[in-house]
Amino acid sequence: MKRALFASVAVIATAWVSVPVSAEEMKAEVIHWWTSGGEAAAVKVFADQFTKAGGTWIDSAVAGAANARNAAISRTVAGNPPTAMQLNTGKQFDELVEGDLLADVDAVAAEGNWNGVMPAAFVAAATRNGKMFAVPINIHGQNWLWYNKSVLVSVGAAEPKTWDDAFAVLDRLKADGKVIPLAFSGQKVWERNLFSAVLIGVGGGPMWVGIMGKRDAALAQSAEFKAVAVAYKKLKAYVDAGAPGRNWNDATNLVIQGKAGMQIMGDWAKGEFVAAGKVPEKDYGCTVLSNHGGGYMMGGDVFVFPKTKDASTTKAQVTLARLMLKPETQIQFSLKKGSIPVRSDVDASQLDACAQKGMQYVSNTAQQLPSADMLAPPALIGALEDAISQYWNTNMGADEFSAKVAGVLKAQY
């Protein structure tokens, strides 16, 4: 998005306060990208809560995160914004704040003591110029391994703990030949997500922060980084010919159906297992692979609220911000979505075994690693994504890839 676009927009200034509007006037058009089975069930939790509060939820689901973001941002810049829009936790709304197009949520945040119940990284990711401009709604672990327990049992394999273990299991599955060893969705964003999981699990947390956060070009050309690149490219031998272009949830369903052994994906994949009636630790397993004792890549989703002069819209926005962070809403949403609550003060006893693991990871600050979206601007992430995709899909070697990544890190984004 070009900043010049903002100059042509008439900025609407309003105080984000509770406005006395009758309940029947509250309408909220919400743009989001939650279209899979598990995602749709999760967003319905918010919709139902808003309906109970007396509002009318207008669902504007757009398939594909990039498509939804572009549609919502374009409408906001053009002066025809939705009531609320979904973005990822991180830097995706920087220019909207710079253009004075978003309402801050400071009043509701203070009322709910968000600073006291959220991880500091999530508060920081939602804050610009000392004010919160986004509502973090969940914590997604992005580097989980999901596996079909019966498939692993069929080849005599136990749950892998390290990447070395995982390669050994993948070799068994490939030799057995009955299922796809690694379910994969061959789209750029998921090629990058898989690389991120390998970078953290094989390279370690400091390397992850060094590459994504500090943009350390020298580190990208180190022998340790090249070992990560080799491990990543090795995984291609375990995916099937149908992987290119496949949706992530279709890859997840291959694991659910026992047609594939495992998948590396964020915990939104668990929502698909839940929607299919599968039980963790019985039908499927979950773990985070690491050769270094851990490293939980934390991302998530936020909702932001374009400024408006309309009192009923402001009332709807305030209501949405409050209800999304209610402890019970957090639990019910997490049960459907696969994520864990962003609040630390909820009763987590209702959460399943995989979510309990996630809560344990997040409770240990040494395990917490911010996602790429929290560390780097979209332009840098996009450039790295292009480099990773080229490496995955061509005969490029690790040395050339290393040099390409170093070049991206040196560039001005």
Side-chain angles (χ1 to χ4, degrees):
M1 182 192 307
K2 301 295 185 184
R3 291 178 183 169
L5 289 174
F6 290 118
S8 64
V9 179
V11 176
I12 301 171
T14 184
W16 222 57
V17 295
S18 181
V19 180
V21 178
S22 58
E24 61 268 23
E25 292 180 291
M26 281 203 308
K27 293 183 180 180
E29 183 196 2
V30 183
I31 294 182
H32 63 87
W33 59 78
W34 288 327
T35 57
S36 75
E39 292 172 330
V43 75
K44 189 175 183 297
V45 172
F46 290 152
D48 288 348
Q49 289 283 359
F50 188 66
T51 300
K52 288 178 183 177
T56 300
W57 176 284
I58 302 170
D59 197 80
S60 293
V62 178
N67 295 333
R69 282 194 299 270
N70 291 339
I73 291 172
S74 295
R75 280 185 48 183
T76 301
V77 171
N80 180 34
T83 311
M85 69 177 85
Q86 177 194 4
L87 297 172
N88 290 121
T89 307
K91 301 179 180 296
Q92 293 173 354
F93 56 91
D94 282 5
E95 291 185 337
L96 292 175
V97 173
E98 291 170 11
D100 198 24
L101 296 177
L102 293 185
D104 74 74
V105 298
D106 254 10
V108 177
E111 174 187 278
N113 187 33
W114 295 0
N115 284 8
V117 298
M118 290 184 192
F122 282 73
V123 173
T127 300
R128 302 292 183 274
N129 304 318
K131 293 183 177 181
M132 291 191 76
F133 282 90
V135 180
I137 59 166
N138 58 3
I139 298 175
H140 269 307
Q142 298 184 356
N143 55 331
W144 284 94
L145 171 76
W146 306 96
Y147 62 91
N148 185 300
K149 289 186 74 73
S150 63
V151 169
L152 262 62
V153 168
S154 72
V155 294
E159 177 180 274
K161 301 297 184 183
T162 68
W163 274 99
D164 293 335
D165 295 341
F167 279 115
V169 175
L170 289 167
D171 284 337
R172 288 194 188 191
L173 292 169
K174 187 174 182 179
D176 188 57
K178 295 177 182 176
V179 303
I180 301 165
L182 182 66
F184 190 60
S185 43
Q187 299 172 5
K188 278 187 177 181
V189 63
W190 306 124
E191 291 165 353
R192 172 172 62 84
N193 194 70
L194 179 61
F195 179 79
S196 297
V198 177
L199 180 57
I200 291 170
V202 175
M207 180 177 288
W208 168 253
V209 175
I211 296 295
M212 296 305 304
K214 299 178 181 178
R215 307 185 193 187
D216 188 339
L219 181 59
Q221 294 189 286
S222 67
E224 292 79 10
F225 182 84
K226 292 175 184 178
V228 170
V230 169
Y232 172 66
K233 193 69 168 277
K234 183 179 177 181
L235 290 169
K236 194 168 185 181
Y238 304 104
V239 307
D240 67 306
R246 179 184 288 144
N247 292 326
W248 70 265
N249 52 306
D250 293 328
T252 304
N253 280 316
L254 290 173
V255 180
I256 292 171
Q257 297 166 16
K259 296 179 181 179
M262 59 179 67
Q263 179 190 25
I264 299 290
M265 185 52 61
D267 54 16
W268 47 87
K270 192 182 66 178
E272 303 304 299
F273 285 94
V274 173
K278 301 301 181 182
V279 179
E281 304 301 348
K282 176 185 175 185
D283 302 310
Y284 66 97
C286 53
T287 191
V288 174
L289 299 172
S290 176
N291 294 353
H292 304 276
Y296 193 70
M297 181 167 55
M298 304 185 307
D301 303 284
V302 301
F303 278 90
V304 298
F305 303 95
K307 282 189 172 181
T308 178
K309 285 184 177 179
D310 182 75
S312 62
T313 300
T314 298
K315 178 68 173 179
Q317 291 174 332
V318 172
T319 301
L320 283 170
R322 285 174 175 154
L323 70 84
M324 286 175 173
L325 267 294
K326 288 171 56 179
E328 183 56 29
T329 305
Q330 285 272 291
I331 291 292
Q332 294 305 315
F333 177 83
S334 295
L335 289 172
K336 300 292 186 182
K337 186 66 169 64
S339 57
I340 61 175
V342 73
R343 299 182 65 113
S344 62
D345 61 344
V346 299
D347 178 7
S349 63
Q350 299 177 59
L351 299 178
D352 62 42
C354 293
Q356 296 284 356
K357 287 184 180 181
M359 294 290 282
Q360 290 174 8
Y361 280 122
V362 172
S363 68
N364 181 356
T365 56
Q367 293 284 350
Q368 296 178 7
L369 291 175
S371 68
D373 293 308
M374 296 168 75
L375 290 172
L380 176 60
I381 292 172
L384 287 171
E385 194 169 274
D386 288 342
I388 292 165
S389 184
Q390 185 180 5
Y391 178 54
W392 178 265
N393 290 294
T394 69
N395 292 324
M396 180 185 292
D399 287 344
E400 184 180 352
F401 173 64
S402 174
K404 182 174 285 290
V405 170
V408 169
L409 297 178
K410 290 176 183 177
Q412 298 298 315
Y413 289 103

